[in-house]
């Protein structure tokens, strides 16, 4: 509608002579176009038996005509300066309208890119702040780590070792109380009881308790793990030794039956 309106305004601005000349030129061009169209229709060949050959011939004729038109110098359809000036004005107005649309599109893209840039800058600033905070935290941890001297680490290790030793002593005391209560050291019976049971064997006064046997086996394993065997002498009451062996708490040496060691518990 805008082009029609502009065309109408341009025609109104032309003089009557220019309008008459323009109309005559248009009628002449339409007449020539109609003549050429009729010639093409008359020159149209009849249906050929070989459609492919007919298509090739048409293509060759079109290419030859195209080459001919490329060599022809373009000429103005009309030489009236008033008509040419008005046509130039119309083209300029049309071009200006198209350029305004292009400018509008580019301004919209520019605003969008500007908004995206602001968002990206905000995101980048947040990441920078997070990085600064992380670096500060790392530096603070390094400072705290540097304050921990070797002496403080050594004291902490000693305290832990002492705590474990105290705990071990408590466990050993508890084990000793349980063994003393339920597995006491054998005592010599009175002469009357021995005569009644016909027992003539006297118990050795150097016998050690079951708790002491276990402690001896554990210390041997901890102090000399390469040689954990303990020699069974007259201080070991045989029933204690047999009980340890029977219940899998201790094992004998493969070559020496008078040596036992604590079983390896996994």
């Amino acid at each position: 509608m805008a082009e029609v309106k502009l065309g109408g305004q341009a025609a109104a601005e032309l003089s009557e002579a220019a309008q008459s000349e323009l109309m005559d030129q248009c009628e002449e061009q339409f007449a020539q176009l109609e003549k050429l169209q009729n010639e093409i229709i008359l020159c149209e060949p009849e249906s050929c038996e070989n459609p492919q050959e007919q298509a090739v011939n048409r293509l060759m004729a079109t290419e030859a005509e195209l080459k001919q038109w490329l060599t022809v110098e373009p000429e103005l359809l009309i030489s009236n300066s008033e008509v040419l000036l008005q046509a130039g004005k119309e083209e300029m107005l049309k071009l200006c309208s198209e350029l305004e649309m292009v400018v509008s599109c580019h301004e919209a893209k520019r605003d969008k890119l500007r908004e995206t840039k602001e968002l990206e800058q905000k995101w980048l600033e947040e990441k920078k702040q997070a990085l600064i905070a992380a670096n500060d935290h790392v530096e603070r941890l390094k400072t705290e780590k540097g304050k921990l001297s070797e002496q403080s680490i050594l004291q902490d290790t000693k305290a832990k070792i002492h705590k474990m030793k105290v705990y071990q002593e408590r466990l050993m005391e508890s084990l000793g109380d349980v063994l003393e209560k339920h597995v006491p050291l054998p005592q010599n019976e009175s002469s009357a009881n021995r005569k009644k049971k016909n027992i003539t064997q006297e118990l050795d006064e150097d016998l050690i308790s079951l708790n002491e046997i276990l402690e001896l086996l554990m210390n041997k394993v901890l102090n000399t793990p390469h040689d954990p065997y303990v020699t069974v002498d007259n201080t070991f009451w045989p029933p204690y030794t047999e009980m340890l062996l029977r219940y899998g708490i201790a094992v004998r040496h493969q070559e020496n039956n008078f040596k036992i060691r604590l079983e390896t518990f996994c």
Side-chain angles (χ1 to χ4, degrees):
M1 293 297 292
E3 292 181 0
V4 173
K5 185 176 181 181
L6 288 174
Q9 291 177 357
E13 292 175 1
L14 290 175
S15 63
E16 294 183 0
Q19 290 183 16
S20 177
E21 183 178 355
L22 184 58
M23 292 298 295
D24 293 340
Q25 187 70 28
C26 289
E27 290 178 359
E28 181 180 351
Q29 292 298 325
F30 275 116
Q32 185 177 357
L33 182 61
E34 186 178 358
K35 180 182 177 181
L36 292 173
Q37 187 175 4
N38 292 332
E39 290 179 357
I40 292 173
I41 294 174
L42 293 174
C43 293
E44 188 74 21
E46 297 179 357
S47 58
C48 181
E49 295 181 357
N50 191 349
Q52 185 176 2
E53 182 179 356
Q54 184 179 1
V56 172
N57 293 335
R58 286 183 180 179
L59 178 61
M60 293 175 63
T62 304
E63 290 178 351
E65 186 175 358
L66 176 61
K67 290 180 181 180
Q68 183 179 359
W69 279 107
L70 290 175
T71 58
V72 175
E73 283 290 336
E75 296 179 359
L76 293 175
L77 296 178
I78 190 169
S79 59
N80 191 318
S81 60
E82 186 179 358
V83 175
L84 294 176
L85 178 61
Q86 192 61 39
K89 288 181 179 180
E90 292 180 7
E91 289 296 326
M92 289 298 295
L93 291 173
K94 183 179 179 182
L95 180 61
C96 288
S97 177
E98 293 176 353
L99 290 177
E100 287 177 357
M101 293 177 63
V102 172
V103 170
S104 177
C105 292
H106 280 284
E107 287 179 350
K109 290 183 179 179
R110 181 196 60 190
D111 296 339
K112 185 65 177 178
L113 290 175
R114 185 176 297 168
E115 182 180 355
T116 304
K117 178 184 175 183
E118 292 176 357
L119 292 176
E120 293 291 337
Q121 286 179 343
K122 183 178 179 181
W123 177 83
L124 180 61
E125 188 64 25
E126 292 176 355
K127 294 302 179 183
K128 286 182 178 179
Q129 294 297 330
L131 180 61
I132 292 173
N135 290 333
D136 293 341
H137 184 65
V138 171
E139 291 297 330
R140 185 167 61 255
L141 291 178
K142 288 182 179 179
T143 304
E144 293 177 358
K145 182 178 179 181
K147 292 179 180 179
L148 296 176
S149 62
E150 294 182 358
Q151 185 67 22
S152 62
I153 296 175
L154 181 61
Q155 292 295 334
D156 184 58
T157 304
K158 287 183 177 179
K160 291 181 179 179
I161 293 174
H162 177 69
K163 186 177 180 180
M164 291 300 298
K165 285 183 177 180
V166 171
Y167 181 68
Q168 181 185 6
E169 290 176 359
R170 290 178 181 176
L171 289 179
M172 295 302 297
E173 289 177 1
S174 300
L175 177 63
D177 294 340
V178 172
L179 293 177
E180 184 178 359
K181 179 178 179 181
H182 298 282
V183 191
L185 188 68
Q187 301 292 333
N188 287 321
E189 298 179 355
S190 61
S191 58
N193 291 334
R194 286 203 306 272
K195 290 179 179 179
K196 184 182 293 184
K197 295 182 180 179
N198 297 323
I199 297 176
T200 59
Q201 183 180 1
E202 293 289 338
L203 294 175
D204 195 334
E205 295 182 355
D206 295 332
L207 290 177
I208 58 178
S209 64
L210 181 60
N211 182 34
E212 292 174 329
I213 295 174
L214 291 174
E215 188 174 354
L216 183 63
L217 290 172
M218 287 187 288
N219 290 334
K220 186 65 174 176
V221 170
L222 295 176
N223 295 331
T224 57
H226 59 282
D227 184 20
Y229 289 94
V230 175
T231 303
V232 178
D233 53 17
N234 57 352
T235 61
F236 285 68
W237 195 40
Y240 285 167
T241 305
E242 292 299 327
M243 182 181 67
L244 294 177
L245 294 172
R246 179 175 298 178
Y247 291 104
I249 300 175
V251 293
R252 289 187 186 277
H253 195 282
Q254 294 181 355
E255 298 178 357
N256 189 349
N257 291 332
F258 292 99
K259 287 185 176 183
I260 61 173
R261 66 171 174 84
L262 195 66
E263 178 63 277
T264 303
F265 299 100
C266 297

